[in-house]
Amino acid sequence: MPRPASDVQAFEAHATDADLDELRARLAAARLPEAETVHHAAPDPRRWDQGVPLVDLVDVVNYWRTEYDWRSFERRLDRIGQFRTTIDGLGIHFLHRRSARADATPLLLTHGWPGSIAEFVDVVDELADPKDAGAPAFHVVIPSLPGFGYSDKPATTGWGTEKIAAAWVELMGRLGYGKFAAHGGDWGGNITTVLGGRFPAHVLGIHTTFAQAPPGLTTEGLTAIERKWTEETHDFWHHRAAYAKQQATRPQTIGYSLVDSPVGLLAWILDKFAEWSDTEDSPFETISMDRVLDDVTLYWLTRTGASSARIYYESHNSLDPELRVDVPAAISMYPRDIEKCPRPWAQQRYRQIVRWRSPETGGHFPSLEVPEYFVKDLQEGLAAVLAANR
């Protein structure tokens, strides 16, 4: 039985002036290394061969210290609606925006790392109350993962993707949503897969940008493009995933730097926004600097650099190889994402794919890179999912 609504409490985000002053002071006093030894002019992506170029980092740090407005982001979160509840002894923070439409469907959006609820603030309004009357509307729920943002930091091991998925079912039940649709990318996509596979009685269907096939499949029968996807994914995990191995094996060690140094935290996260987005040089070609800093500042003020990294320790390579998803699934593989799964492989886990798309543009953060397309794709994908339930 769902718990009473009294277990859900309204929440407001408000950093102290002292915290913001300290952040600016730390940025002003930052000790920076010398420039990288790879010297190329923009927009040459080789400038990033050793990580975030010094000149780019200095520009962002200066903007963060002198112009960026955290209070604007706080007000935006409050307008959407923020709440907290306790599940299995852990405080969980979430955004909740109810639609004005009587036919709206509950929708759970789950972020990943190095993302946060900031990934979805630009798309909530259109999902809840679409301008097109023919588009589906949703009651939107966006939880902060355990150890992320305003959710509590787990004090013990065990909060992996399976437990998080079970907690999300409990959360939706407390809001009166016994059945709901779910979307996610990155870790959110992994959790969404677990939701669809483990809780079909509650999950109407899923939309994901992260489809993970069972292990051991061969490339026989794949198209040339699909084989290229598998090669790119293999290259990523073998040559560009040191961050994941660090966080999966030694999250506490990197955590000291992420919690103590705002510049270190910024560089660690900005590197991923740059490498994983569909851009030629800078992530700010498609993603606003304010939105990246909303995300980074949220990590900084909540001191969640270490606790968020632990999701890799808890869940890296943990998706059950036997897990199958029989609820309707809509899947989109963006061209510059870090892991792309061929449809023949995806079909071995997702047994009822009702819509498959390979967009022409977009990377790992589509809700920030191509928000209008992302919303339309999500609406159409979930419309197909809901139609399959009729």
Side-chain angles (χ1 to χ4, degrees), residues 268-326:
W268 192 248
I269 291 178
L270 182 59
D271 183 76
K272 305 313 167 202
F273 274 103
E275 188 181 14
W276 300 353
S277 58
D278 189 2
T279 54
E280 294 302 315
D281 178 59
S282 165
F284 306 123
E285 293 167 23
T286 57
I287 305 173
S288 78
M289 189 177 295
D290 280 337
R291 193 60 70 239
V292 171
L293 288 174
D294 290 338
D295 183 68
V296 175
T297 309
L298 180 60
Y299 276 85
W300 174 258
L301 292 173
T302 56
R303 304 184 183 193
T304 48
S307 56
S308 62
R310 291 191 192 106
I311 193 170
Y312 286 81
Y313 181 87
E314 295 287 351
S315 301
H316 201 49
N317 293 326
S318 68
L319 189 62
D320 182 355
E322 302 301 321
L323 182 68
R324 297 296 181 266
V325 178
D326 292 321

Side-chain angles (χ1 to χ4, degrees), residues 15-338:
T16 66
D17 290 339
D19 281 341
L20 297 177
D21 288 343
E22 184 204 23
L23 169 59
R24 286 186 283 268
R26 283 174 176 257
L27 293 173
R31 298 198 328 170
L32 300 177
E34 67 284 352
E36 61 284 355
T37 54
V38 179
H39 295 294
H40 297 285
D44 190 334
R46 289 174 295 175
R47 293 191 317 117
W48 291 75
D49 276 356
Q50 293 182 23
V52 182
L54 178 64
V55 64
D56 295 71
L57 187 75
V58 167
D59 285 345
V60 181
V61 168
N62 286 339
Y63 180 82
W64 196 8
R65 182 174 61 86
T66 63
E67 298 183 52
Y68 170 71
D69 181 11
W70 168 256
R71 297 297 185 203
S72 175
F73 184 64
E74 286 184 332
R75 291 190 293 271
R76 194 160 188 181
L77 296 181
D78 289 339
R79 285 197 299 270
I80 295 171
Q82 299 190 86
F83 303 86
R84 271 177 52 100
T85 190
T86 300
I87 300 174
D88 286 344
L90 196 75
I92 298 296
H93 166 267
F94 61 97
L95 305 179
H96 185 197
R97 167 71 185 278
R98 286 189 60 84
S99 172
R101 290 249 301 262
D103 63 342
T105 300
L107 172 62
L108 176 72
L109 304 179
T110 307
H111 66 82
W113 183 95
S116 67
I117 55 173
E119 288 184 63
F120 298 119
V121 295
D122 291 326
V123 301
V124 171
D125 289 346
E126 185 61 22
L127 289 173
D129 297 300
K131 298 181 184 69
D132 179 0
F138 302 98
H139 302 305
V140 184
V141 179
I142 310 171
S144 296
L145 290 170
F148 287 69
Y150 296 112
S151 283
D152 286 354
K153 304 174 181 70
T156 61
T157 58
W159 277 95
T161 51
E162 292 271 352
K163 186 168 183 175
I164 293 170
W168 282 185
V169 173
E170 170 72 12
L171 170 63
M172 295 299 276
R174 290 186 191 184
L175 298 176
Y177 303 142
K179 293 189 176 183
F180 56 92
H183 161 83
D186 194 86
W187 283 112
N190 189 302
I191 291 164
T192 297
T193 293
V194 175
L195 280 166
R198 300 286 191 224
F199 302 98
H202 297 281
V203 178
L204 297 167
I206 66 171
H207 181 284
T208 184
T209 58
F210 182 82
Q212 197 166 38
L217 302 180
T218 72
T219 59
E220 185 177 350
L222 298 184
T223 66
I225 291 177
E226 289 170 338
R227 290 191 182 205
K228 183 181 178 183
W229 283 7
T230 66
E231 292 166 1
E232 290 173 345
T233 299
H234 180 273
D235 179 77
F236 172 80
W237 284 113
H238 283 78
H239 301 291
R240 297 185 290 130
Y243 77 97
K245 290 180 171 58
Q246 174 69 34
Q247 296 190 160
T249 58
R250 293 293 188 270
Q252 189 71 12
T253 299
I254 188 63
Y256 294 112
S257 298
L258 302 179
V259 172
D260 184 64
S261 169
V263 171
L265 176 69
L266 171 64
W268 192 248
I269 291 178
L270 182 59
D271 183 76
K272 305 313 167 202
F273 274 103
E275 188 181 14
W276 300 353
S277 58
D278 189 2
T279 54
E280 294 302 315
D281 178 59
S282 165
F284 306 123
E285 293 167 23
T286 57
I287 305 173
S288 78
M289 189 177 295
D290 280 337
R291 193 60 70 239
V292 171
L293 288 174
D294 290 338
D295 183 68
V296 175
T297 309
L298 180 60
Y299 276 85
W300 174 258
L301 292 173
T302 56
R303 304 184 183 193
T304 48
S307 56
S308 62
R310 291 191 192 106
I311 193 170
Y312 286 81
Y313 181 87
E314 295 287 351
S315 301
H316 201 49
N317 293 326
S318 68
L319 189 62
D320 182 355
E322 302 301 321
L323 182 68
R324 297 296 181 266
V325 178
D326 292 321
V327 300
I331 299 173
S332 295
M333 293 283 107
Y334 283 85
R336 286 287 296 275
D337 207 344
I338 58 178

